[in-house]
Amino acid sequence: MRYIIIGAGAVGGVIGGRLAGSGHEVVLVARGAHFEALRDHGLRLRVPEGELTHRLPVVDGPAALGELRPDDVLVLAVKTQDSVAALQTWGPAPVAGGGTAAERLPLFCAQNGVEGQRIALRLFRRVHGVCVWLPSTYVEPGVVSAAGSPLTGILHLGRHPHGTDETARLVAADLEKSHFEAPVVADVARWQYAKLLSNLGNALEAVTGPVSDEDALALLRRVRAEGAAVLDAAGIAYASTEEQQALRGDKVTLVPLDGAPRGGGSSWQSLTRGTGTIEADYLNGEIALLGRLHGVPTPLNELLQHLADTFARERRAAGSMPVAELMRLADGAVVNTG
């Protein structure tokens, strides 16, 4: 199998680099300065064993590859807000022997949240969900890092909306030779919704910085409790904290990396890079949507969604809102909802 990593940033770059390091054929898809750095200098992957450089084919779209191969596996690793454009670009790509990528090739959605795979299923016939437990960072163009040890990450795989298949098992086997644990499960969404609850703090971290003082931690607990109440009201199953901890244990322990400090999660990184977009609409916004559908107020998640979107749109600095100011806004949002 050949892996085509659509979006070779923090998550995609690490997955692609680790697969390449274990001998698998990998093509990276990127754009702008990142594309140029990957093309000219290779993918530089900073991990606990050092900096690894992988000279891999890099393209900015399917045209550069000509006809895709029947054994290609597409890994969608762009942020959810970029999914439609990526899928519309790659879906019509011709595959040798006839048909298109959307008709014939498997697509694995290695993304936060749950919406990306629903978007994909509108175009692609063979969609797989991936629950991404992979602490990683886009350091600079051409350079990504992953500080987890002894494993780089844990990636649950399954068909969307449910079930498993031989492709998932083959991909899992490749990942497990590449510094990942990759359980194949029939209920991958249950793990993704659990991860969604943990990702509700991404916007909080993005706007106020590291969530470390008691006020911020207390607010985070309230935000996640709001999310859990919504999932319960919607009848959506999710893995418990105890089940997640039992599976993960100390398999992905973060260690300091020279030249690759981990400043924050994916939303924090989006603000730091000044991309102009952020994935809060598909994290906190997913909870807001479900809350409206099922009659559950979600003032704290709505507030964080709004603030994260505002910070991204106005390109405000990550972590620049004092926690005290956010707490005041949160209290006001709850009062107004009541």
Side-chain angles (χ1 to χ4, degrees):
M1 293 188 296
R2 179 176 68 170
Y3 290 91
I4 299 177
I5 310 295
I6 304 170
V11 169
V14 171
I15 292 174
R18 281 308 203 184
L19 284 168
S22 61
H24 299 288
E25 190 175 0
V26 174
V27 175
L28 303 178
V29 182
R31 58 187 180 183
H34 192 45
F35 166 83
E36 294 172 0
L38 293 171
R39 179 196 61 199
D40 296 342
H41 307 293
L43 173 68
R44 295 162 58 194
L45 174 60
R46 294 177 183 170
V47 286
E49 60 264 39
E51 181 171 294
L52 311 174
T53 300
H54 298 286
R55 294 279 183 172
L56 303 172
V58 56
V59 300
D60 59 1
L65 295 175
E67 284 189 321
L68 301 183
R69 298 181 349 198
D71 69 338
D72 282 337
V73 173
L74 306 182
V75 179
L76 183 68
V78 300
K79 296 288 176 50
T80 303
Q81 64 268 27
D82 298 321
S83 293
V84 170
L87 293 166
Q88 289 178 342
T89 297
W90 285 87
V95 178
T100 65
E103 293 167 339
R104 294 188 57 194
L105 300 183
L107 176 78
F108 285 75
C109 297
Q111 300 169 295
N112 284 332
V114 296
E115 184 64 16
Q117 58 210 14
R118 289 188 71 251
I119 296 172
L121 202 59
R122 296 177 185 273
L123 298 174
F124 279 75
R125 292 176 179 171
R126 300 171 60 192
V127 175
H128 295 74
V130 184
C131 180
V132 180
W133 187 262
L134 171 53
S136 56
T137 301
Y138 175 98
V139 180
E140 61 185 59
V143 184
V144 297
S145 70
S149 179
L151 294 177
T152 297
I154 300 176
L155 307 173
H156 285 74
L157 310 177
R159 284 295 295 262
H160 177 75
H162 49 73
T164 63
D165 62 12
E166 183 62 18
T167 301
R169 288 184 281 274
L170 291 171
V171 171
D174 288 349
L175 289 169
E176 293 200 337
K177 297 172 185 174
S178 309
H179 297 268
F180 294 102
E181 185 170 303
V184 178
V185 294
D187 57 350
V188 67
R190 195 170 68 88
W191 291 92
Q192 291 175 308
Y193 276 106
K195 177 73 180 338
L196 172 65
L197 291 178
S198 70
N199 284 144
L200 297 181
N202 287 19
L204 174 58
E205 176 189 59
V207 301
T208 67
V211 181
S212 55
D213 69 35
E214 187 49 45
D215 283 344
L217 289 169
L219 179 58
L220 177 58
R221 288 191 289 270
R222 291 167 62 195
V223 169
R224 289 178 174 168
E226 198 176 83
V230 165
L231 296 185
D232 292 341
I236 295 173
Y238 53 95
S240 67
T241 300
E242 294 74 21
E243 186 177 2
Q244 295 177 77
Q245 290 174 342
L247 175 81
R248 291 172 182 146
D250 56 0
K251 297 173 185 175
V252 186
T253 300
L254 299 186
V255 299
L257 297 179
D258 291 339
R262 179 169 169 78
S266 57
S267 296
W268 185 91
Q269 293 179 46
S270 291
L271 292 184
T272 300
R273 292 171 59 192
T275 62
T277 67
I278 199 165
E279 60 187 341
D281 288 350
Y282 302 99
L283 301 177
N284 307 90
E286 180 70 23
I287 296 303
L289 169 62
L290 289 171
R292 291 166 191 152
L293 289 173
H294 297 280
V296 180
T298 59
L300 298 178
N301 279 280
E302 290 179 32
L303 172 65
L304 288 177
Q305 179 188 4
H306 169 72
L307 289 174
D309 285 343
T310 300
F311 267 56
R313 184 175 61 254
E314 298 178 355
R315 288 179 165 77
R316 294 170 62 178
S320 59
M321 175 174 282
V323 173
E325 181 180 351
L326 178 56
M327 294 296 293
R328 178 181 60 79
L329 293 173
D331 290 341
V334 170
V335 169
N336 289 337
T337 299

